[in-house]
Amino acid sequence: MTRVVKKRKLDEIRQDRLYFDSYSDVTIHEEMIADHVRTNTYRTAILKNSESIRGKVVLDVGAGTGVLSIFCAQAGAKKVYAVEACSIAEQAQITVKHNNMEDRIEVIRGTVETVDLPETVDVIVSEWMGYALLHESMLNSVLYARDKWLKPGGIILPSKAELYITPVIDPVVEDRLHFWYTVKDQYGVDMSCMSGFARKCIMNSDITVSSVTCEDVLSHPARFAELDLHSVTPEELRSVKGQFRCESFGSSAVNAFCVYFTVTFPCPDSTAPLVLSTSPCKPETHWKQAVLYLDAPVEVVQDTPITGEVRMYPSEENARHICIHVDYSIGEQKRHSKTFSIPDWSSEAQP
């Protein structure tokens, strides 16, 4: 093994350790379970699929505190394997016992890639979505479980994911940039020269996770990617891309793109599937939205075309982190390109 390959392997081990350690604290689980849209949609989806779950074997990938496993047992599952890699598995075991479910739910500590189940399963359930859908790269584990443990004709909850993009105006950013022009009136010092520096700092290449209000959305959303969890491959996840076209609602200034996702659950007894949406025009979730700031705002009028292509791929520095590359044109402007990533603060904290 070469030194480069060995270092890369050690980096991957450290990245996995940091990822799993981040789920060992109560805060993140409190945030997820308190997210009513998230938790109640999963509960509803599981109960609506009770005919497919009753008397069957279920695998919960990344079970966390075990709440989805308990939902599956409540829906009539004969056996639930709750696989969880981090130490929160101990609390899941306590929660399962506290709810008198230990005869049907078996908590297994380990990654789904390394554990050995005693049987194949009829259903896979997992809450695998990260910021901008693919941040943290947990979907790869779900696909591994699908290929190794799911019976032919088995179901996956959720079964489909879709990615959307829309142009937005972030008024807070504009207020922050304008601030430097107000300093002279307040203190007698002209600091308008700071505005260019402020723009570089604020409208940078970070994927900013924040809440976008529906009023700040400047067009109908464009779907640029769809993932069928029954057929998508890990290789395809290395480059998720698609083209988009939007037309602005009216006169404004585009200073960012907003990327969000939906996941869909099959509902056999209903004409419409159940959708969990992170759209800025739907009730807020803990995922919020991924905001990608342009280098400078661009003025638009009604029906100004905004076109381009989005490509999402794992970061070279940390495969669990996502990068988003956007090629875009607004109106008659020439094509621009910008690549965004979520800052890896954990790497700065390590020696």
Side-chain angles (χ1 to χ4, degrees):
M1 183 182 293
T2 67
R3 180 176 296 180
V4 172
V5 172
K6 187 175 182 179
K7 181 181 185 301
R8 186 180 299 125
K9 192 67 178 175
L10 288 172
D11 285 345
E12 290 174 359
I13 293 170
R14 182 178 69 82
Q15 289 160 9
D16 284 348
R17 176 173 54 80
L18 289 170
Y19 167 69
F20 292 125
D21 285 351
S22 72
Y23 283 86
S24 297
D25 183 73
V26 71
T27 305
I28 192 167
H29 297 283
E30 178 184 350
E31 180 184 42
M32 290 190 294
I33 294 177
D35 182 343
H36 182 75
V37 174
R38 165 201 179 269
T39 307
N40 196 56
T41 302
Y42 266 87
R43 180 173 183 267
T44 302
I46 289 167
L47 295 178
K48 281 183 175 291
N49 280 276
S50 59
E51 287 301 313
S52 302
I53 293 174
R54 188 175 296 115
K56 301 296 179 64
V57 180
V58 178
L59 169 59
D60 182 356
V61 179
T65 55
V67 66
L68 301 188
S69 295
I70 292 174
F71 290 162
C72 290
Q74 290 173 339
K78 176 179 69 175
K79 185 72 175 182
V80 182
Y81 296 105
V83 176
E84 174 53 52
C86 81
S87 60
I88 200 68
E90 298 169 13
Q91 296 302 315
Q93 184 67 63
I94 293 170
T95 303
V96 166
K97 188 173 182 180
H98 188 69
N99 284 270
N100 301 311
M101 296 282 188
E102 63 265 39
D103 60 327
R104 284 190 285 161
I105 302 175
E106 181 179 345
V107 179
I108 303 174
R109 174 78 185 270
T111 65
V112 75
E113 292 85 356
T114 58
V115 301
D116 190 23
L117 302 184
E119 58 186 322
T120 54
V121 303
D122 304 284
V123 180
I124 290 177
V125 63
S126 180
E127 196 277 78
W128 52 267
M129 300 84 73
Y131 297 129
L133 186 68
L134 298 176
H135 185 64
E136 292 186 339
S137 194
M138 189 180 157
L139 180 53
N140 288 284
S141 296
V142 177
L143 302 188
Y144 181 93
R146 176 199 69 190
D147 294 342
K148 185 169 184 178
W149 299 112
L150 187 63
K151 293 178 182 177
I155 68 171
I156 305 175
L157 302 174
S159 59
K160 181 175 70 173
E162 295 167 283
L163 282 155
Y164 296 83
I165 189 169
T166 184
V168 298
I169 172 69
D170 184 342
V172 174
V173 165
E174 295 306 311
D175 288 345
R176 289 181 65 188
L177 296 176
H178 180 68
F179 163 76
W180 297 103
Y181 292 91
T182 70
V183 175
K184 186 175 182 179
D185 289 341
Q186 297 182 70
Y187 306 115
V189 179
D190 187 348
M191 299 196 72
S192 59
C193 57
M194 284 286 292
S195 63
F197 174 68
R199 187 178 299 280
K200 288 180 182 179
C201 292
I202 297 169
M203 303 180 75
N204 54 30
S205 297
D206 291 345
I207 297 173
T208 303
V209 177
S210 63
S211 296
V212 176
T213 65
C214 194
E215 292 75 16
D216 296 332
V217 173
L218 301 181
S219 81
H220 291 297
R223 187 182 70 174
F224 67 89
E226 177 181 334
L227 305 177
D228 181 343
L229 268 67
H230 285 280
S231 59
V232 68
T233 66
E235 291 73 25
E236 290 171 327
L237 294 183
R238 297 199 61 79
S239 181
V240 175
K241 62 182 179 180
Q243 297 183 340
F244 67 91
R245 179 183 175 86
C246 304
E247 293 182 353
S248 55
F249 290 141
S251 298
S252 187
V254 178
N255 65 6
F257 287 110
C258 164
V259 171
Y260 70 91
F261 66 87
T262 64
V263 293
T264 302
F265 300 83
C267 291
D269 298 329
S270 174
T271 55
L274 187 62
V275 178
L276 192 168
S277 175
T278 62
S279 164
C281 297
K282 296 290 185 179
E284 185 175 321
T285 71
H286 77 283
W287 289 286
K288 301 177 182 177
Q289 288 83 37
V291 180
L292 317 174
Y293 289 110
L294 312 185
D295 291 331
V298 180
E299 296 293 328
V300 294
V301 296
Q302 185 170 343
D303 297 330
T304 296
I306 302 165
T307 61
E309 183 178 78
V310 187
R311 185 168 70 92
M312 304 176 69
Y313 56 94
S315 164
E316 289 185 4
E317 287 74 29
N318 186 337
R320 289 195 175 275
H321 286 206
I322 199 73
C323 294
I324 305 177
H325 180 82
V326 186
D327 290 314
Y328 65 94
S329 296
I330 300 177
E332 299 301 318
Q333 277 204 341
K334 67 177 183 179
R335 205 164 183 83
H336 291 267
S337 296
K338 192 168 182 178
T339 301
F340 304 84
S341 61
I342 291 182
D344 188 1
W345 302 116
S346 61
S347 64
E348 296 181 8
Q350 296 299 308

mmCIF file with all atom_site columns, all heavy atoms in Angstrom, residues 252-265:
data_model
loop_
_atom_site.group_PDB
_atom_site.id
_atom_site.type_symbol
_atom_site.label_atom_id
_atom_site.label_alt_id
_atom_site.label_comp_id
_atom_site.label_asym_id
_atom_site.label_entity_id
_atom_site.label_seq_id
_atom_site.pdbx_PDB_ins_code
_atom_site.Cartn_x
_atom_site.Cartn_y
_atom_site.Cartn_z
_atom_site.occupancy
_atom_site.B_iso_or_equiv
_atom_site.pdbx_formal_charge
_atom_site.auth_seq_id
_atom_site.auth_comp_id
_atom_site.auth_asym_id
_atom_site.auth_atom_id
_atom_site.pdbx_PDB_model_num
ATOM 1   N N   . SER A 1 252 ? -36.806 42.289 -9.804  1.00 0.00 ? 252 SER A N   1
ATOM 2   C CA  . SER A 1 252 ? -36.116 42.053 -8.541  1.00 0.00 ? 252 SER A CA  1
ATOM 3   C C   . SER A 1 252 ? -34.633 41.928 -8.841  1.00 0.00 ? 252 SER A C   1
ATOM 4   O O   . SER A 1 252 ? -34.178 42.239 -9.950  1.00 0.00 ? 252 SER A O   1
ATOM 5   C CB  . SER A 1 252 ? -36.637 40.783 -7.862  1.00 0.00 ? 252 SER A CB  1
ATOM 6   O OG  . SER A 1 252 ? -36.088 40.645 -6.564  1.00 0.00 ? 252 SER A OG  1
ATOM 7   N N   . ALA A 1 253 ? -33.880 41.474 -7.853  1.00 0.00 ? 253 ALA A N   1
ATOM 8   C CA  . ALA A 1 253 ? -32.454 41.221 -8.028  1.00 0.00 ? 253 ALA A CA  1
ATOM 9   C C   . ALA A 1 253 ? -32.141 39.828 -7.504  1.00 0.00 ? 253 ALA A C   1
ATOM 10  O O   . ALA A 1 253 ? -32.355 39.547 -6.317  1.00 0.00 ? 253 ALA A O   1
ATOM 11  C CB  . ALA A 1 253 ? -31.618 42.265 -7.295  1.00 0.00 ? 253 ALA A CB  1
ATOM 12  N N   . VAL A 1 254 ? -31.664 38.956 -8.354  1.00 0.00 ? 254 VAL A N   1
ATOM 13  C CA  . VAL A 1 254 ? -31.264 37.608 -7.944  1.00 0.00 ? 254 VAL A CA  1
ATOM 14  C C   . VAL A 1 254 ? -29.884 37.692 -7.298  1.00 0.00 ? 254 VAL A C   1
ATOM 15  O O   . VAL A 1 254 ? -28.941 38.173 -7.923  1.00 0.00 ? 254 VAL A O   1
ATOM 16  C CB  . VAL A 1 254 ? -31.204 36.652 -9.153  1.00 0.00 ? 254 VAL A CB  1
ATOM 17  C CG1 . VAL A 1 254 ? -30.738 35.262 -8.711  1.00 0.00 ? 254 VAL A CG1 1
ATOM 18  C CG2 . VAL A 1 254 ? -32.543 36.576 -9.852  1.00 0.00 ? 254 VAL A CG2 1
ATOM 19  N N   . ASN A 1 255 ? -29.781 37.254 -6.057  1.00 0.00 ? 255 ASN A N   1
ATOM 20  C CA  . ASN A 1 255 ? -28.444 37.216 -5.454  1.00 0.00 ? 255 ASN A CA  1
ATOM 21  C C   . ASN A 1 255 ? -28.048 35.826 -4.973  1.00 0.00 ? 255 ASN A C   1
ATOM 22  O O   . ASN A 1 255 ? -26.978 35.640 -4.399  1.00 0.00 ? 255 ASN A O   1
ATOM 23  C CB  . ASN A 1 255 ? -28.294 38.246 -4.326  1.00 0.00 ? 255 ASN A CB  1
ATOM 24  C CG  . ASN A 1 255 ? -29.183 37.968 -3.128  1.00 0.00 ? 255 ASN A CG  1
ATOM 25  O OD1 . ASN A 1 255 ? -29.862 36.935 -3.059  1.00 0.00 ? 255 ASN A OD1 1
ATOM 26  N ND2 . ASN A 1 255 ? -29.197 38.894 -2.175  1.00 0.00 ? 255 ASN A ND2 1
ATOM 27  N N   . ALA A 1 256 ? -28.923 34.829 -5.225  1.00 0.00 ? 256 ALA A N   1
ATOM 28  C CA  . ALA A 1 256 ? -28.592 33.468 -4.800  1.00 0.00 ? 256 ALA A CA  1
ATOM 29  C C   . ALA A 1 256 ? -29.502 32.465 -5.495  1.00 0.00 ? 256 ALA A C   1
ATOM 30  O O   . ALA A 1 256 ? -30.561 32.816 -6.031  1.00 0.00 ? 256 ALA A O   1
ATOM 31  C CB  . ALA A 1 256 ? -28.735 33.340 -3.280  1.00 0.00 ? 256 ALA A CB  1
ATOM 32  N N   . PHE A 1 257 ? -29.062 31.220 -5.452  1.00 0.00 ? 257 PHE A N   1
ATOM 33  C CA  . PHE A 1 257 ? -29.922 30.098 -5.805  1.00 0.00 ? 257 PHE A CA  1
ATOM 34  C C   . PHE A 1 257 ? -30.270 29.349 -4.526  1.00 0.00 ? 257 PHE A C   1
ATOM 35  O O   . PHE A 1 257 ? -29.462 29.291 -3.590  1.00 0.00 ? 257 PHE A O   1
ATOM 36  C CB  . PHE A 1 257 ? -29.235 29.137 -6.772  1.00 0.00 ? 257 PHE A CB  1
ATOM 37  C CG  . PHE A 1 257 ? -29.108 29.665 -8.182  1.00 0.00 ? 257 PHE A CG  1
ATOM 38  C CD1 . PHE A 1 257 ? -27.870 30.022 -8.699  1.00 0.00 ? 257 PHE A CD1 1
ATOM 39  C CD2 . PHE A 1 257 ? -30.229 29.789 -8.988  1.00 0.00 ? 257 PHE A CD2 1
ATOM 40  C CE1 . PHE A 1 257 ? -27.748 30.506 -9.994  1.00 0.00 ? 257 PHE A CE1 1
ATOM 41  C CE2 . PHE A 1 257 ? -30.118 30.268 -10.286 1.00 0.00 ? 257 PHE A CE2 1
ATOM 42  C CZ  . PHE A 1 257 ? -28.884 30.631 -10.792 1.00 0.00 ? 257 PHE A CZ  1
ATOM 43  N N   . CYS A 1 258 ? -31.442 28.777 -4.510  1.00 0.00 ? 258 CYS A N   1
ATOM 44  C CA  . CYS A 1 258 ? -31.882 27.947 -3.389  1.00 0.00 ? 258 CYS A CA  1
ATOM 45  C C   . CYS A 1 258 ? -32.055 26.519 -3.899  1.00 0.00 ? 258 CYS A C   1
ATOM 46  O O   . CYS A 1 258 ? -32.745 26.289 -4.900  1.00 0.00 ? 258 CYS A O   1
ATOM 47  C CB  . CYS A 1 258 ? -33.195 28.498 -2.833  1.00 0.00 ? 258 CYS A CB  1
ATOM 48  S SG  . CYS A 1 258 ? -34.109 27.355 -1.772  1.00 0.00 ? 258 CYS A SG  1
ATOM 49  N N   . VAL A 1 259 ? -31.412 25.569 -3.234  1.00 0.00 ? 259 VAL A N   1
ATOM 50  C CA  . VAL A 1 259 ? -31.554 24.154 -3.576  1.00 0.00 ? 259 VAL A CA  1
ATOM 51  C C   . VAL A 1 259 ? -32.277 23.453 -2.427  1.00 0.00 ? 259 VAL A C   1
ATOM 52  O O   . VAL A 1 259 ? -31.935 23.640 -1.260  1.00 0.00 ? 259 VAL A O   1
ATOM 53  C CB  . VAL A 1 259 ? -30.180 23.499 -3.822  1.00 0.00 ? 259 VAL A CB  1
ATOM 54  C CG1 . VAL A 1 259 ? -30.321 21.977 -3.961  1.00 0.00 ? 259 VAL A CG1 1
ATOM 55  C CG2 . VAL A 1 259 ? -29.524 24.078 -5.071  1.00 0.00 ? 259 VAL A CG2 1
ATOM 56  N N   . TYR A 1 260 ? -33.291 22.679 -2.765  1.00 0.00 ? 260 TYR A N   1
ATOM 57  C CA  . TYR A 1 260 ? -34.010 21.912 -1.745  1.00 0.00 ? 260 TYR A CA  1
ATOM 58  C C   . TYR A 1 260 ? -34.433 20.569 -2.327  1.00 0.00 ? 260 TYR A C   1
ATOM 59  O O   . TYR A 1 260 ? -34.223 20.302 -3.513  1.00 0.00 ? 260 TYR A O   1
ATOM 60  C CB  . TYR A 1 260 ? -35.211 22.699 -1.204  1.00 0.00 ? 260 TYR A CB  1
ATOM 61  C CG  . TYR A 1 260 ? -36.354 22.875 -2.173  1.00 0.00 ? 260 TYR A CG  1
ATOM 62  C CD1 . TYR A 1 260 ? -37.397 21.947 -2.224  1.00 0.00 ? 260 TYR A CD1 1
ATOM 63  C CD2 . TYR A 1 260 ? -36.420 23.984 -3.023  1.00 0.00 ? 260 TYR A CD2 1
ATOM 64  C CE1 . TYR A 1 260 ? -38.461 22.105 -3.102  1.00 0.00 ? 260 TYR A CE1 1
ATOM 65  C CE2 . TYR A 1 260 ? -37.480 24.145 -3.899  1.00 0.00 ? 260 TYR A CE2 1
ATOM 66  C CZ  . TYR A 1 260 ? -38.499 23.207 -3.937  1.00 0.00 ? 260 TYR A CZ  1
ATOM 67  O OH  . TYR A 1 260 ? -39.542 23.364 -4.810  1.00 0.00 ? 260 TYR A OH  1
ATOM 68  N N   . PHE A 1 261 ? -35.002 19.716 -1.474  1.00 0.00 ? 261 PHE A N   1
ATOM 69  C CA  . PHE A 1 261 ? -35.350 18.368 -1.930  1.00 0.00 ? 261 PHE A CA  1
ATOM 70  C C   . PHE A 1 261 ? -36.717 17.948 -1.400  1.00 0.00 ? 261 PHE A C   1
ATOM 71  O O   . PHE A 1 261 ? -37.264 18.530 -0.449  1.00 0.00 ? 261 PHE A O   1
ATOM 72  C CB  . PHE A 1 261 ? -34.295 17.350 -1.497  1.00 0.00 ? 261 PHE A CB  1
ATOM 73  C CG  . PHE A 1 261 ? -34.203 17.147 0.004   1.00 0.00 ? 261 PHE A CG  1
ATOM 74  C CD1 . PHE A 1 261 ? -35.014 16.223 0.654   1.00 0.00 ? 261 PHE A CD1 1
ATOM 75  C CD2 . PHE A 1 261 ? -33.295 17.874 0.764   1.00 0.00 ? 261 PHE A CD2 1
ATOM 76  C CE1 . PHE A 1 261 ? -34.937 16.036 2.026   1.00 0.00 ? 261 PHE A CE1 1
ATOM 77  C CE2 . PHE A 1 261 ? -33.200 17.693 2.140   1.00 0.00 ? 261 PHE A CE2 1
ATOM 78  C CZ  . PHE A 1 261 ? -34.020 16.774 2.771   1.00 0.00 ? 261 PHE A CZ  1
ATOM 79  N N   . THR A 1 262 ? -37.254 16.934 -2.038  1.00 0.00 ? 262 THR A N   1
ATOM 80  C CA  . THR A 1 262 ? -38.417 16.218 -1.530  1.00 0.00 ? 262 THR A CA  1
ATOM 81  C C   . THR A 1 262 ? -38.092 14.728 -1.541  1.00 0.00 ? 262 THR A C   1
ATOM 82  O O   . THR A 1 262 ? -37.256 14.265 -2.326  1.00 0.00 ? 262 THR A O   1
ATOM 83  C CB  . THR A 1 262 ? -39.677 16.443 -2.397  1.00 0.00 ? 262 THR A CB  1
ATOM 84  O OG1 . THR A 1 262 ? -39.460 15.895 -3.701  1.00 0.00 ? 262 THR A OG1 1
ATOM 85  C CG2 . THR A 1 262 ? -40.012 17.920 -2.511  1.00 0.00 ? 262 THR A CG2 1
ATOM 86  N N   . VAL A 1 263 ? -38.734 13.984 -0.650  1.00 0.00 ? 263 VAL A N   1
ATOM 87  C CA  . VAL A 1 263 ? -38.685 12.518 -0.718  1.00 0.00 ? 263 VAL A CA  1
ATOM 88  C C   . VAL A 1 263 ? -40.124 12.011 -0.707  1.00 0.00 ? 263 VAL A C   1
ATOM 89  O O   . VAL A 1 263 ? -41.001 12.612 -0.084  1.00 0.00 ? 263 VAL A O   1
ATOM 90  C CB  . VAL A 1 263 ? -37.876 11.878 0.433   1.00 0.00 ? 263 VAL A CB  1
ATOM 91  C CG1 . VAL A 1 263 ? -36.400 12.234 0.320   1.00 0.00 ? 263 VAL A CG1 1
ATOM 92  C CG2 . VAL A 1 263 ? -38.420 12.265 1.795   1.00 0.00 ? 263 VAL A CG2 1
ATOM 93  N N   . THR A 1 264 ? -40.350 10.922 -1.414  1.00 0.00 ? 264 THR A N   1
ATOM 94  C CA  . THR A 1 264 ? -41.698 10.394 -1.607  1.00 0.00 ? 264 THR A CA  1
ATOM 95  C C   . THR A 1 264 ? -41.817 8.992  -1.045  1.00 0.00 ? 264 THR A C   1
ATOM 96  O O   . THR A 1 264 ? -40.929 8.158  -1.250  1.00 0.00 ? 264 THR A O   1
ATOM 97  C CB  . THR A 1 264 ? -42.049 10.390 -3.106  1.00 0.00 ? 264 THR A CB  1
ATOM 98  O OG1 . THR A 1 264 ? -41.948 11.732 -3.612  1.00 0.00 ? 264 THR A OG1 1
ATOM 99  C CG2 . THR A 1 264 ? -43.460 9.878  -3.331  1.00 0.00 ? 264 THR A CG2 1
ATOM 100 N N   . PHE A 1 265 ? -42.917 8.758  -0.329  1.00 0.00 ? 265 PHE A N   1
ATOM 101 C CA  . PHE A 1 265 ? -43.218 7.449  0.236   1.00 0.00 ? 265 PHE A CA  1
ATOM 102 C C   . PHE A 1 265 ? -44.396 6.837  -0.526  1.00 0.00 ? 265 PHE A C   1
ATOM 103 O O   . PHE A 1 265 ? -45.393 7.520  -0.766  1.00 0.00 ? 265 PHE A O   1
ATOM 104 C CB  . PHE A 1 265 ? -43.612 7.573  1.710   1.00 0.00 ? 265 PHE A CB  1
ATOM 105 C CG  . PHE A 1 265 ? -42.557 8.170  2.592   1.00 0.00 ? 265 PHE A CG  1
ATOM 106 C CD1 . PHE A 1 265 ? -42.407 9.549  2.685   1.00 0.00 ? 265 PHE A CD1 1
ATOM 107 C CD2 . PHE A 1 265 ? -41.719 7.359  3.341   1.00 0.00 ? 265 PHE A CD2 1
ATOM 108 C CE1 . PHE A 1 265 ? -41.440 10.106 3.505   1.00 0.00 ? 265 PHE A CE1 1
ATOM 109 C CE2 . PHE A 1 265 ? -40.751 7.903  4.175   1.00 0.00 ? 265 PHE A CE2 1
ATOM 110 C CZ  . PHE A 1 265 ? -40.610 9.284  4.249   1.00 0.00 ? 265 PHE A CZ  1
#
